[in-house]
Amino acid sequence: MSSQYRNKTESIVKKILLLSWLLSFTATCFTHTNTTITILGTGYVGLVTGACLADISPNNTKVICADIDEKKIRHLNNNHIPIYEKDLEEIVTRNISRETLLFTYNIPMAIQQADIVIIAVGTPTNNDGVSDLSYFKSALKTIAQNLTETTKIIVIKSTVPIGTCNKIPAILDRYNVSPKSYKIVFNPEFLREGTAVQDFMNTDRIVIGTKSKKAIECMKMLYQPFIDKQIPFIVTDPTSAEIVKYASNNFLALKLSFINEIANLCDATNGDIATITQAVGLDPRINPHFLQPGPGFGGSCLPKDTLALTTIAKKYKVPLQTIDAAIKANKYQKKLSLKKLKTIMPNIEGKTVAILGLAFKADTDDIRYSPAIPLIKKLVKQKTKIKVYDPAAMENMKHIFPDITYCSTSYDAIKESDALIILTDWQEFKQLDIEKISTLMSEKIIVDMRNILSTKEMNTFLFRYATIGNHQY
Ligand code: UGA
């Protein structure tokens, strides 16, 4: 067979497969060909999920991102993305012009039109350590009030306490909703802030927790491009899917606290953490990811999900001693940057300290549970002058610390400072001109909590330089 003929045949086969898939989907999932997906909540998860689903879906699919925050929706409709997330703006713009993505604060309309309603509202920690479900319950109430005759698939993306999905029918029942008008799915997300678009497009697994066959078919339709690429599509019950989400984030937290403690041990013994993580990470049972020591894990997920899981486990009288230890180790780690600074400069009162990195990690503007917050609080208490710089998170930090000095570049922050603390590994921090810094600082002291600078250069320019376990021989 000539290659031209073979290509033509392959292309026809592909078209037939696509057509049969579309027809089978229409037959088993919905009774019409145009699909509408509504996402409730336009935070990091909702916005990225909505934009990416619109991008991977055929032209006859419409994604509606809905939020009660009218101001946010107006911004989004004017192409202004309220969060810093790589590649997101491009995808949003492309799908607005494709007419596959739209934004609204008319939540009832968005729900009524939907075949699939995805709940992606925030579930922050409440005073008891578990998730505050008030936004989630309010979303469910609005869904209940706007269910129509055709069965809607309600997909939960928000992280919720174990057992929540099983309680949803009872919640919806309060609004006299027919059980035939909806099907429930728990579909955890595994997106990291800063790389969320990339994580969505290159997902390594899709997990579906449901008791409904129709819902499984609809989820297959939603994620068909990934199924085509042989990405594992795991179907289980809702409770197991809820636990998958907690287990994933808690395992990552364990890994981080573990490697942070090994790095601290390197500091005491002159071991070299970079070589150790390289060598240990080569074992495929361990792998090299999530092995970079740092100033303690932050963000809206790992601190919240470790606390939630231990709190839930206590309720069931199941000890989760490893996670308790990871949380404790993380509290210690967050104090370490100041401890290291004081080892070099015991009296910090009246000194000027520069901080590079305010978000909880690089490539995001999110400051939730950022190690910078407790550090700045302590420095303020100890009467130091604080100059800070972050490429994306300064506006957010101004709400918490309006009175510290916000600088427009790293060098502005470093200029005339007595010490510099690096908390995140933005690319631009890795490229700092050390010779220039040596001329700008009043005293040459650097605490590098991400091990991003070169020890050799630090020695050349006579810095007093502290790292976490970075002792290259
Ligand atoms: C985390 C998970 O990684 C995602 O899979 C999950 O979907 C998400 O929570 C969520 O539940 O929504 P995220 O909070 O965005 O994502 O941030 P990570 O990239 O996981 O980083 C968490 C913390 O660990 C940060 O403070 C980061 O600086 C720190 N970290 C990460 C290290 O110190 N070293 C590493 O090697 C990796």
Side-chain angles (χ1 to χ4, degrees):
M1 206 191 306
S2 78
S3 73
Q4 201 188 358
Y5 181 72
R6 198 170 47 232
N7 287 345
K8 219 171 175 184
T9 315
E10 276 175 7
S11 148
I12 291 167
V13 170
K14 266 187 193 161
K15 275 182 193 153
I16 292 170
L17 281 174
L18 182 70
L19 195 68
S20 64
W21 161 65
L22 273 173
L23 287 173
S24 72
F25 159 65
T26 311
T28 52
C29 194
F30 304 119
T31 50
H32 50 90
T33 43
N34 295 331
T35 310
T36 301
I37 303 159
T38 287
I39 319 251
L40 301 181
T42 54
Y44 286 93
V45 174
L47 195 52
V48 172
T49 304
C52 291
L53 279 176
D55 208 47
I56 60 162
S57 297
N59 286 341
N60 63 353
T61 299
K62 189 166 67 179
V63 176
I64 308 177
C65 287
D67 203 296
I68 48 171
D69 186 340
E70 291 190 22
K71 200 171 146 202
K72 203 177 192 184
I73 293 299
R74 260 188 236 111
H75 279 310
L76 283 163
N77 275 326
N78 291 324
N79 249 344
H80 175 80
I81 311 292
I83 52 168
Y84 181 93
E85 194 61 56
K86 198 169 163 274
D87 301 331
L88 186 58
E89 193 173 341
E90 193 190 319
I91 292 197
V92 168
T93 312
R94 179 164 62 238
N95 286 283
I96 288 177
S97 25
R98 266 182 83 207
E99 296 182 355
T100 44
L101 179 65
L102 57 106
F103 299 99
T104 185
Y105 47 83
N106 186 343
I107 315 264
M109 179 278 292
I111 296 169
Q112 286 159 24
Q113 287 192 4
D115 301 296
I116 300 174
V117 182
I118 300 180
I119 304 182
V121 297
T123 49
T125 307
N126 70 10
N127 292 340
D128 303 332
V130 280
S131 301
D132 171 357
L133 292 181
S134 48
Y135 299 122
F136 178 75
K137 285 185 178 161
S138 143
L140 276 180
K141 182 180 172 185
T142 320
I143 293 173
Q145 289 164 339
N146 291 283
L147 285 172
T148 49
E149 272 170 19
T150 46
T151 308
K152 293 191 196 302
I153 310 296
I154 304 175
V155 181
I156 320 301
K157 275 237 174 251
S158 307
T159 303
V160 290
I162 300 164
T164 300
C165 286
N166 287 343
K167 291 180 188 154
I168 292 177
I171 297 175
L172 293 177
D173 198 39
R174 283 182 220 147
Y175 305 99
N176 294 324
V177 161
S178 155
K180 285 188 184 147
S181 61
Y182 67 87
K183 303 284 175 204
I184 301 293
V185 178
F186 185 74
N187 171 216
E189 55 85 18
F190 306 107
L191 311 175
R192 288 164 300 171
E193 287 179 21
T195 53
V197 170
Q198 195 192 319
D199 288 347
F200 186 99
M201 295 301 185
N202 301 296
T203 187
D204 38 30
R205 78 275 211 205
I206 292 154
V207 178
I208 300 297
T210 187
K211 294 172 184 162
S212 152
K213 277 190 183 141
K214 180 182 169 90
I216 296 169
E217 289 312 312
C218 291
M219 291 297 101
K220 278 188 180 161
M221 179 282 289
L222 202 64
Y223 291 114
Q224 190 62 43
F226 299 108
I227 296 170
D228 289 345
K229 284 194 263 172
Q230 317 292 325
I231 302 297
F233 185 84
I234 299 165
V235 179
T236 181
D237 61 281
T239 301
S240 301
E242 288 165 348
I243 299 176
V244 166
K245 171 66 190 188
Y246 280 118
S248 300
N249 275 358
N250 276 264
F251 189 80
L252 293 174
L254 279 180
K255 216 173 166 184
L256 289 174
S257 277
F258 172 78
I259 207 62
N260 282 338
E261 290 200 319
I262 297 296
N264 298 343
L265 185 63
C266 287
D267 275 333
T269 56
N270 277 337
D272 177 32
I273 192 67
T275 315
I276 293 161
T277 50
Q278 186 198 3
V280 170
L282 283 169
D283 183 333
R285 293 170 302 174
I286 298 174
N287 88 44
H289 305 291
F290 259 69
L291 281 185
Q292 298 310 313
F297 59 78
S300 65
C301 307
L302 302 196
K304 172 173 79 84
D305 292 353
T306 43
L307 185 59
L309 194 63
T310 50
T311 311
I312 293 165
K314 269 184 202 115
K315 204 179 98 191
Y316 289 98
K317 297 194 169 45
V318 175
L320 285 190
Q321 297 169 66
T322 52
I323 312 294
D324 284 333
I327 296 172
K328 199 170 163 199
N330 200 46
K331 277 189 188 143
Y332 175 84
Q333 201 68 12
K334 285 193 173 171
K335 295 179 187 154
L336 213 55
S337 55
L338 185 58
K339 208 169 165 215
K340 282 177 186 284
L341 175 62
K342 285 187 148 186
T343 308
I344 306 175
M345 194 167 71
N347 187 6
I348 57 169
E349 195 176 320
K351 300 279 187 189
T352 303
V353 177
I355 299 173
L356 295 186
L358 298 177
F360 75 98
K361 63 173 184 177
D363 304 318
T364 178
D365 60 354
D366 194 344
I367 58 165
R368 285 175 286 178
Y369 294 92
S370 167
I373 298 173
L375 171 65
I376 297 173
K377 271 189 190 154
K378 286 214 184 89
L379 289 173
V380 169
K381 236 184 196 166
Q382 299 190 25
K383 299 189 175 68
T384 54
K385 292 179 198 139
I386 305 160
K387 293 172 80 185
V388 299
Y389 171 70
D390 186 289
M394 292 203 286
E395 286 311 311
N396 286 338
M397 202 54 112
K398 281 178 191 169
H399 297 297
I400 303 182
F401 300 108
D403 299 326
I404 59 175
T405 305
Y406 291 86
C407 302
S408 47
T409 66
S410 298
Y411 297 109
D412 281 349
I414 290 166
K415 198 174 165 194
E416 289 163 11
S417 291
D418 298 299
L420 164 64
I421 301 178
I422 300 174
L423 289 181
T424 64
D425 53 354
W426 278 89
Q427 192 55 32
E428 64 174 90
F429 301 161
K430 292 181 187 169
Q431 289 161 349
L432 285 171
D433 180 341
I434 303 301
E435 186 171 6
K436 184 172 169 182
I437 293 178
S438 76
T439 62
L440 288 175
M441 291 187 77
S442 302
E443 285 193 57
K444 292 197 270 184
I445 298 173
I446 297 183
V447 176
D448 178 358
M449 294 302 288
R450 297 283 178 173
N451 294 349
I452 57 174
L453 303 181
S454 141
T455 308
K456 210 171 143 199
E457 255 192 304
M458 289 292 122
N459 292 339
T460 308
F461 292 103
L462 306 175
F463 275 91
R464 279 175 286 167
Y465 179 55
T467 62
I468 352 177
N470 184 8
H471 301 276
Q472 294 149 2
Y473 69 98

